[in-house]
Amino acid sequence: MNSRQFCGAKANFWGLVLVTLLMLNGSASAQRRIVPRKHMPLDSIRLSDPFILADSITHMYYMTGTGGLLWKSKDLQYWDGPFVVTHTDSSSWMGPHPMIWAAEIHYYKGKYYYFATFTNAKKVIGHFNGNALVRRACHILVSDDPEGPYKPVPSGDSVYLPANLSTLDATFWVDKLGDPWMIYCHEWVQNNNGTVDKIRLKPDLSGTVGQPTTLFKASESPWSREKINGKIQANRVTDGPYVFRTQTGRLGIIWTSWVYNVYTQGVAYSKSGKLSGPWKQQVKPVTPPNYGHGMLFKTLNGQTLMAVHSHKDVNGHYIRIPHLFSVDMTGDSLVVKGQYRFK
């Protein structure tokens, strides 16, 4: 599968997500039709881009991702959900029924912040290579409770990133100086060579400061691959960045692309130890093939785990299942040990 084929398949997948979200979020009566289930095994949940918050205040785990819904668990193995937790502003650029991708929940200064990609398929911001680009952008919601509801930040900016950019997969990072940052992807369908970018956030996360800058491009990857017009080259997709530090203090970013038709996750490290880089891509992927869009978290018992999803095509439909991997970050590099086994 080349990048054009992947784009079409991904569009098919997100089309199905849109139908689901319209059913879930279209009205109060539709929301009442959601019947959360109890004690669901993790591998029975269908979820893209899983993100897990281990909340030391409530002593619970909260998992979200693409779709804008929430699951909760006491032990990571069995989950209750899904629950509707987002209340967006229908009069904003998002419109009444935005698609929600790659949601993350971060606890920061006494509040819970919901970083996500919102898409309004009815707004076109331009065209590239003959394709219409719909309004897609990273944005932040906030709540006093991890279970929501998550609403626009009071007195916050109406947009966090330039309206003419197609951006996605925002994550959160606070540097050693205490400055908060949004890290995200500028999508390859607009620039033909996806990037991982950063922009500084206001101290209360109500907006951004200054202009975005690029950390690295998809073409810098030595491990990703695609074939275009018979030529093999680095894949153009950047997906799912997540920033971390090893216990030795080394700064890294895990991010995902493709090796032909296989979803794959790599890692880059900052030569300076600062977010500004420069960033050095590692030669080999950091996880096994067909796992990606990872994030790292510490369990309530202090163990470091990675949440990812697997990715497969079943009769033309993409099925994505969340998984947990054990990792070792005690040295100078992130080492993925294998799939986490529940006791």
Side-chain angles (χ1 to χ4, degrees), residues 267-342:
V267 62
Y269 291 101
S270 171
K271 291 183 177 181
S272 68
K274 299 179 181 179
L275 195 57
S276 57
W279 289 87
K280 173 69 174 179
Q281 302 293 330
Q282 300 302 286
V283 174
K284 295 182 178 180
V286 72
T287 44
N290 199 35
Y291 295 94
H293 204 113
M295 57 82 56
L296 299 159
F297 69 101
K298 281 192 175 182
T299 68
L300 297 174
N301 295 323
Q303 183 177 1
T304 303
L305 298 180
M306 175 186 287
V308 296
H309 73 250
S310 63
H311 183 212
K312 62 181 178 180
D313 184 345
V314 178
N315 298 323
H317 302 299
Y318 279 94
I319 307 299
R320 303 186 182 192
I321 304 170
H323 303 267
L324 298 177
F325 278 82
S326 297
V327 299
D328 182 359
M329 293 174 57
T330 58
D332 209 33
S333 299
L334 168 67
V335 178
V336 177
K337 307 295 288 185
Q339 290 212 42
Y340 177 72
R341 297 188 180 278
F342 296 104

Side-chain angles (χ1 to χ4, degrees), residues 43-340:
D43 61 7
S44 72
I45 297 173
R46 300 296 177 258
L47 179 67
S48 295
D49 316 326
F51 184 96
I52 295 175
L53 169 70
D55 188 46
S56 59
I57 298 175
T58 60
H59 302 286
M60 293 285 290
Y61 297 100
Y62 300 94
M63 180 170 66
T64 186
T66 287
L69 303 177
L70 184 77
W71 286 258
K72 58 183 180 180
S73 172
K74 292 182 179 181
D75 60 8
L76 290 173
Q77 185 172 7
Y78 297 102
W79 297 80
D80 296 345
F83 305 97
V84 175
V85 295
T86 56
H87 289 190
T88 57
D89 179 4
S90 61
S91 66
S92 72
W93 64 266
M94 298 180 191
H97 306 297
M99 288 181 276
I100 303 176
W101 301 357
E104 300 187 359
I105 297 174
H106 296 271
Y107 182 73
Y108 182 68
K109 294 186 176 180
K111 294 184 180 294
Y112 297 87
Y113 289 90
Y114 189 95
F115 286 63
T117 305
F118 298 89
T119 300
N120 184 344
K122 293 185 177 180
K123 284 185 177 289
V124 175
I125 62 171
H127 293 79
F128 188 81
N129 285 341
N131 298 313
L133 302 174
V134 299
R135 183 71 186 274
R136 178 178 302 130
C138 304
H139 203 83
I140 302 174
L141 307 178
V142 67
S143 176
D144 292 323
D145 189 286
E147 297 185 34
Y150 290 92
K151 300 179 180 180
V153 179
S155 302
D157 289 354
S158 60
V159 296
Y160 280 75
L161 294 165
N164 64 335
L165 298 184
S166 182
T167 60
L168 74 168
D169 293 355
T171 190
F172 182 49
W173 181 252
V174 179
D175 65 21
K176 288 185 174 181
L177 297 177
D179 292 328
W181 296 85
M182 178 189 285
I183 316 300
Y184 62 94
C185 296
H186 183 191
E187 199 171 15
W188 75 277
V189 297
Q190 186 177 45
N191 60 21
N192 208 39
N193 187 5
T195 62
V196 171
D197 296 352
K198 69 177 175 73
I199 192 167
R200 190 156 63 91
L201 293 164
K202 295 178 180 179
D204 62 357
L205 311 193
S206 64
T208 54
V209 179
Q211 296 297 313
T213 57
T214 293
L215 302 182
F216 56 82
K217 299 178 179 180
S219 59
E220 297 172 26
S221 165
W223 51 264
S224 69
R225 292 290 183 271
E226 68 175 324
K227 181 182 286 188
I228 300 178
N229 298 324
K231 180 183 178 181
I232 296 175
Q233 62 182 51
N235 199 285
R236 291 168 289 168
V237 174
T238 50
D239 203 33
Y242 187 84
V243 188
F244 67 93
R245 281 193 188 276
T246 67
Q247 289 187 22
T248 63
R250 193 180 188 191
L251 186 67
I253 293 179
I254 49 177
W255 65 284
T256 303
S257 190
W258 294 79
V259 179
Y260 301 112
N261 65 336
V262 180
Y263 202 54
T264 305
Q265 183 173 248
V267 62
Y269 291 101
S270 171
K271 291 183 177 181
S272 68
K274 299 179 181 179
L275 195 57
S276 57
W279 289 87
K280 173 69 174 179
Q281 302 293 330
Q282 300 302 286
V283 174
K284 295 182 178 180
V286 72
T287 44
N290 199 35
Y291 295 94
H293 204 113
M295 57 82 56
L296 299 159
F297 69 101
K298 281 192 175 182
T299 68
L300 297 174
N301 295 323
Q303 183 177 1
T304 303
L305 298 180
M306 175 186 287
V308 296
H309 73 250
S310 63
H311 183 212
K312 62 181 178 180
D313 184 345
V314 178
N315 298 323
H317 302 299
Y318 279 94
I319 307 299
R320 303 186 182 192
I321 304 170
H323 303 267
L324 298 177
F325 278 82
S326 297
V327 299
D328 182 359
M329 293 174 57
T330 58
D332 209 33
S333 299
L334 168 67
V335 178
V336 177
K337 307 295 288 185
Q339 290 212 42
Y340 177 72

